[in-house]
């Protein structure tokens, strides 16, 4: 009997609000639409996907003692994730509000996450957290954590698989001091260019070369419905994701990709094959109104069968 791989996820677990417009976006005016509120966060969404791929997941985050915090607590428990988080009774739980157009694409987002900034760094010194890190096979964090906290986690990684989610162009820079410690970084094109110090229109191949020069050994770069680029010591590869017939909501797709990819890596798959698993997880998320949809092995296998193999980029 083999032991279940164990992952410790650290970072965002908060209230997610997604407003979707009913028609084309008209700037600087009131747009009709509807608002949905759920529990999300980059690393929590990834963790919920990894759990459904057979990984034992523990999660460490911080939240307030308010109604939002209670919802986060309930959502983590319902997902089958071991909750190691710290609750500050007198603080407000962080939140993220996304405004999507009528096609489900992001127009803008607002992150209210002061609690992460104030409390994550000193939490890294807790004995309970150090013991949790020592007891897992892999680590996954997101850039909702301040750079100081990410760097502190990196010092404790030892030889463990260590993944990170860039979250946004504004927060991706927090990972720069720790790039050499990462096993794999999940990002979109804008985040990759921001990390590489390139203009938004710069070729992603240039971003890869710059990130490798900065010490990043492997990465996955998404581009919405476009080609997904991945690179490691074996070279640069691309995968064309299958067409999603019905796009319900793109929120959480990149997180699902990270969670399913990490699960596959922990089960011994190569990066190129693991990213196929990630794309399957992302496709399921895109087709669901939830940022962290439930799925079984049959659903996942069908999604994976539609994802082509990676091809080398010349």
């Amino acid at each position: 009997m083999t032991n279940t791989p164990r992952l410790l996820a650290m970072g965002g677990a908060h209230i997610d609000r997604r407003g979707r417009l009913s028609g084309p976006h008209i700037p600087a005016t009131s747009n009709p639409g509807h608002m949905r509120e759920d529990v999300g966060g980059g690393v929590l969404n990834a963790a919920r996907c990894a759990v459904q791929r057979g990984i034992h997941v523990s999660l460490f985050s911080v939240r307030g003692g308010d109604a939002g915090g209670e919802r986060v607590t309930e959502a983590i428990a319902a997902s089958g994730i071991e909750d190691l988080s710290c609750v500050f009774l007198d603080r407000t739980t962080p939140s993220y509000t996304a405004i999507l157009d009528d096609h489900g694409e992001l127009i803008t987002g607002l992150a209210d996450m002061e609690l992460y900034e104030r409390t994550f760094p000193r939490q890294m010194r807790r004995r309970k957290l150090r013991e949790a890190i020592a007891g897992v096979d892999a680590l996954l964090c997101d850039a909702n954590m301040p750079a100081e906290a990410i760097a502190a986690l990196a010092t404790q990684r030892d030889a463990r698989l260590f993944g990170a989610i860039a979250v946004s162009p504004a927060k991706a820079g927090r990972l720069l001091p720790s790039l050499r410690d990462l096993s794999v970084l999940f990002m979109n094109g804008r985040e990759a260019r921001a990390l590489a110090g390139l203009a938004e229109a710069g070729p992603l191949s240039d971003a890869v070369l710059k990130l490798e020069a900065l010490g990043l050994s492997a990465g996955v770069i998404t581009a919405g419905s476009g080609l997904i680029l991945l690179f490691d010591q074996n070279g640069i590869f691309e995968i064309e994701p299958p067409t999603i017939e019905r796009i319900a909501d793109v929120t959480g797709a990149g997180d699902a990709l990270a969670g399913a990819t990490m699960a596959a890596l922990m089960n011994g798959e190569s990066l190129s094959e693991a990213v196929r698993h990630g794309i399957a997880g992302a496709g399921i998320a895109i087709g669901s109104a939830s940022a962290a949809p439930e799925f079984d092995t049959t659903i996942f296998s069908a999604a994976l069968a539609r994802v082509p193999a990676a091809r080398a980029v010349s």
Side-chain angles (χ1 to χ4, degrees):
M1 180 176 179
T2 58
N3 293 325
T4 302
R6 301 178 68 88
L7 171 70
L8 175 62
M10 296 184 60
H14 47 255
I15 298 298
D16 247 344
R17 302 183 184 93
R18 298 190 299 282
R20 181 163 177 169
L21 305 189
S22 301
H25 175 230
I26 302 175
T29 190
S30 176
N31 288 265
H34 60 273
M35 182 70 73
R36 176 188 175 96
E37 186 172 288
D38 204 348
V39 175
V43 89
L44 175 57
N45 289 338
R48 291 191 280 198
C49 188
V51 161
Q52 295 182 85
R53 295 302 299 141
I55 303 298
H56 179 281
V57 182
S58 302
L59 182 136
F60 179 83
S61 189
V62 295
R63 56 182 177 267
D66 52 5
E70 291 179 4
R71 287 192 63 191
V72 173
T73 301
E74 293 168 359
I76 294 171
S79 299
I81 295 170
E82 181 184 8
D83 190 7
L84 306 177
S85 303
C86 187
V87 178
F88 294 84
L89 297 177
D90 60 340
R91 302 294 181 88
T92 300
T93 297
S95 66
Y96 174 71
T97 302
I99 303 300
L100 311 172
D101 65 18
D102 54 328
H103 298 293
E105 297 292 338
L106 182 68
I107 296 173
T108 190
L110 188 152
D112 181 5
M113 302 182 177
E114 183 180 4
L115 187 62
Y116 293 157
E117 307 301 314
R118 290 180 174 272
T119 61
F120 255 122
R122 68 172 180 266
Q123 293 301 314
M124 302 305 300
R125 298 189 290 270
R126 291 177 59 199
R127 178 180 176 181
K128 180 181 178 181
L129 185 55
R130 295 198 304 271
E131 291 174 348
I133 293 171
V136 299
D137 304 297
L139 304 169
L140 177 66
C141 72
D142 68 26
N144 285 309
M145 295 170 60
E148 178 185 349
I150 295 170
L153 179 61
T155 65
Q156 302 180 60
R157 68 159 293 199
D158 294 329
R160 295 176 186 84
L161 177 67
F162 183 18
I165 303 171
V167 174
S168 72
K171 292 183 177 180
R174 299 174 173 190
L175 294 161
L176 278 171
S178 303
L179 286 184
R180 294 183 181 279
D181 296 298
L182 295 178
S183 305
V184 59
L185 174 58
F186 301 94
M187 54 201 144
N188 62 30
R190 292 183 62 211
E191 293 156 359
R193 292 183 181 98
L195 272 168
L198 301 178
E200 284 200 15
L204 284 178
S205 56
D206 289 352
V208 170
L209 294 175
K210 181 63 182 295
L211 291 171
E212 288 180 326
L214 291 170
L216 182 62
S217 60
V220 182
I221 306 175
T222 60
S225 60
L227 289 172
I228 291 173
L229 206 63
L230 56 129
F231 61 94
D232 60 10
Q233 71 277 7
N234 296 313
I236 303 175
F237 302 85
E238 62 186 15
I239 301 177
E240 184 173 359
T243 301
I244 305 299
E245 295 179 359
R246 176 183 174 273
I247 298 177
D249 191 343
V250 299
T251 305
D255 305 330
L257 185 147
T261 300
M262 286 292 293
L265 289 171
M266 293 175 70
N267 281 312
E269 300 289 358
S270 65
L271 181 62
S272 58
E273 178 58 24
V275 173
R276 289 188 63 244
H277 288 238
I279 294 170
I284 294 171
I286 291 170
S288 169
S290 171
E294 295 183 3
F295 56 85
D296 58 21
T297 302
T298 300
I299 292 173
F300 188 86
S301 296
L304 181 60
R306 299 181 64 230
V307 182
R311 56 178 182 257
V313 176
S314 57

